[in-house]
Amino acid sequence: MAGIPKGWEMIRVTVVYEAGLLRAALEELLRCGGDFDVSSASHWPQRPIPGASVPDVYVVDAECLEPARAADRTATGRGALVALVPAQRPGVLRRAHQAGALGFVDKDGSKSRLLTAVRRAAKGDRFVDEALAAGFLAAAEMPLTQRELSVLALAAKGEPIADVAASLHLSEGTVRNYMASVIRKVGARNRVDAIRIAQGAGWT
Amino acid sequence: MAGIPKGWEMIRVTVVYEAGLLRAALEELLRCGGDFDVSSASHWPQRPIPGASVPDVYVVDAECLEPARAADRTATGRGALVALVPAQRPGVLRRAHQAGALGFVDKDGSKSRLLTAVRRAAKGDRFVDEALAAGFLAAAEMPLTQRELSVLALAAKGEPIADVAASLHLSEGTVRNYMASVIRKVGARNRVDAIRIAQGAGWT
């Protein structure tokens, strides 16, 4: 059964990281550090691919994960997910959680935590880096609604208010109200400040 | 002499990368890949530290380099600098160049290029990843003046126009003129768009 390696088998791990050099470096770290069968890929399959061969564990840069759609929130048929998450970015942690991650490893942490997380995930067990605990609290308290996030994400791309309104089938006044609400909720001084704060936290 | 290892000596390499796990992974990559004596540090000394022991080569994440001040643009007494640079970010390439880098390695490239760059830098020789060539052209054609960059950097932090003006000892009208000029030069639709484009290129 995928995800539960037999006693004598090596754990098959696939590293997913956008930048090739860092992908190679993480592969080397896993190869030197444990009895893993390591490969790499440029992206993590958001949906199960029928009939595709899957590793026991994916080690994925959480900053590359797309905000999950509810339909994708299942790990069935895809191998266990260990997410590498930067501290202080609760939105990224939230995306990893929504993607169904079993392991949450601090990007600023040690090699041994990653190895532990991979071994646990291969057995179907959870691992949460203690350095990320505060981030989980912040992620649970995400202040913005889905609609506010949509408005903010388009505004952050430099779309004028009229275009944001057209994209979301809203009036310009409604879009302005959402932006005002976002600015207030995140404690920003203006629109640019709100975008900066939301991007820093990884909400968009 | 630092920077030119004697024939029988191992090249001493120090890896500088903000996220600890990736720092460890890059250390492992260098250790497994060559006959290097590898260590790591959390930051690259922007100025020479008198009397401090320096490695032959620093391998540094260029995204962590501060925009250089002219006084700091010398590599004397600091070991050679090999910068890891993402493609499509000419501003980051420019910072690496200003910091006096001898090697420029594509972050999305292969392990062998990094090893080549380190060996060359240890001998005082230049290495430029061909994937970054177009970036050098873009970096040379950076459209913004130092004053425009200063205005943009403060605006990107969410500072209101009045605060930007006070910080730079300018009138609010002058700051507005600079912002209008930035928006026009980078081909943006508005202020948020200009900040997005400049940050994407790594200019600020």
Side-chain angles (χ1 to χ4, degrees):
Chain A
M1 192 178 144
I4 306 179
K6 294 167 195 80
W8 58 273
E9 276 181 358
M10 283 168 84
I11 297 173
R12 288 166 305 139
V13 183
T14 297
V15 174
V16 180
Y17 208 96
E18 203 180 346
L21 191 62
L22 297 166
R23 197 161 64 226
L26 284 165
E27 275 191 72
E28 203 81 43
L29 189 77
L30 287 163
R31 213 168 266 135
C32 298
D35 48 346
F36 303 138
D37 176 5
V38 188
S39 61
S40 74
S42 57
H43 74 284
W44 179 70
Q46 204 162 25
R47 292 155 191 274
I49 303 162
S53 142
V54 292
D56 301 308
V57 179
Y58 277 104
V59 171
V60 177
D61 178 15
E63 289 177 270
C64 295
L65 292 170
E66 297 288 318
R69 285 156 298 191
D72 296 328
R73 290 180 206 177
T74 162
T76 315
R78 280 185 303 177
L81 174 60
V82 169
L84 306 182
V85 187
Q88 317 297 342
R89 300 205 67 201
V92 176
L93 199 57
R94 190 181 165 92
R95 286 211 288 282
H97 176 67
Q98 288 180 337
L102 257 186
F104 299 84
V105 176
D106 181 9
K107 261 196 185 174
D108 199 23
S110 69
K111 169 180 156 178
S112 67
R113 298 211 189 139
L114 174 60
L115 302 182
T116 302
V118 170
R119 292 199 181 98
R120 290 225 193 134
K123 290 190 284 186
D125 292 340
R126 194 169 280 288
F127 175 88
V128 179
D129 216 317
E130 58 192 18
L132 300 171
F136 272 99
L137 283 177
E141 289 162 359
M142 209 278 278
L144 306 177
T145 66
Q146 196 52 52
R147 195 52 119 171
E148 288 165 346
L149 277 177
S150 304
V151 167
L152 192 69
L154 290 172
K157 286 181 185 160
E159 304 259 340
I161 293 288
D163 294 7
V164 175
S167 293
L168 299 176
H169 308 288
L170 297 170
S171 75
E172 293 189 29
T174 304
V175 168
R176 283 207 180 79
N177 286 343
Y178 279 127
M179 277 307 305
S181 165
V182 167
I183 290 169
R184 186 174 39 76
K185 282 184 176 178
V186 304
R189 289 166 293 180
N190 52 46
R191 201 173 293 172
V192 172
D193 202 28
I195 291 168
R196 182 187 65 82
I197 292 169
Q199 287 180 337
W203 297 131
T204 56
Chain B
M1 191 176 146
I4 306 178
K6 295 167 196 78
W8 57 274
E9 276 182 359
M10 284 168 82
I11 298 173
R12 288 165 305 141
V13 183
T14 297
V15 174
V16 179
Y17 207 96
E18 203 182 346
L21 191 61
L22 298 165
R23 196 160 66 224
L26 284 165
E27 274 191 74
E28 203 81 43
L29 190 77
L30 287 162
R31 213 168 267 136
C32 298
D35 49 345
F36 303 137
D37 176 4
V38 188
S39 62
S40 73
S42 57
H43 74 285
W44 180 70
Q46 204 163 23
R47 292 157 190 270
I49 302 161
S53 141
V54 292
D56 300 308
V57 180
Y58 275 104
V59 171
V60 176
D61 178 16
E63 289 178 271
C64 295
L65 292 171
E66 297 289 319
R69 284 155 297 189
D72 297 328
R73 288 179 207 176
T74 163
T76 315
R78 280 185 303 177
L81 174 61
V82 169
L84 306 182
V85 186
Q88 317 299 340
R89 301 204 67 199
V92 176
L93 199 56
R94 189 181 165 91
R95 285 210 289 281
H97 176 67
Q98 289 181 337
L102 258 185
F104 298 84
V105 176
D106 181 9
K107 260 197 185 176
D108 200 22
S110 69
K111 169 180 155 177
S112 66
R113 296 210 190 138
L114 174 60
L115 301 182
T116 302
V118 170
R119 290 198 183 98
R120 290 224 195 135
K123 289 190 284 186
D125 293 340
R126 195 169 278 289
F127 175 88
V128 179
D129 216 317
E130 58 192 18
L132 300 173
F136 272 100
L137 285 177
E141 289 161 358
M142 208 278 278
L144 306 177
T145 65
Q146 195 53 52
R147 194 53 118 173
E148 288 165 347
L149 277 177
S150 304
V151 168
L152 192 69
L154 289 173
K157 285 182 186 160
E159 304 259 340
I161 293 287
D163 293 6
V164 175
S167 292
L168 300 176
H169 308 290
L170 299 168
S171 74
E172 292 189 29
T174 305
V175 169
R176 283 207 179 79
N177 286 344
Y178 278 126
M179 277 307 306
S181 165
V182 168
I183 289 170
R184 185 173 41 74
K185 283 184 177 179
V186 303
R189 291 167 292 180
N190 51 46
R191 199 173 295 173
V192 171
D193 202 27
I195 291 168
R196 181 187 65 83
I197 291 170
Q199 287 180 336
W203 298 131
T204 57

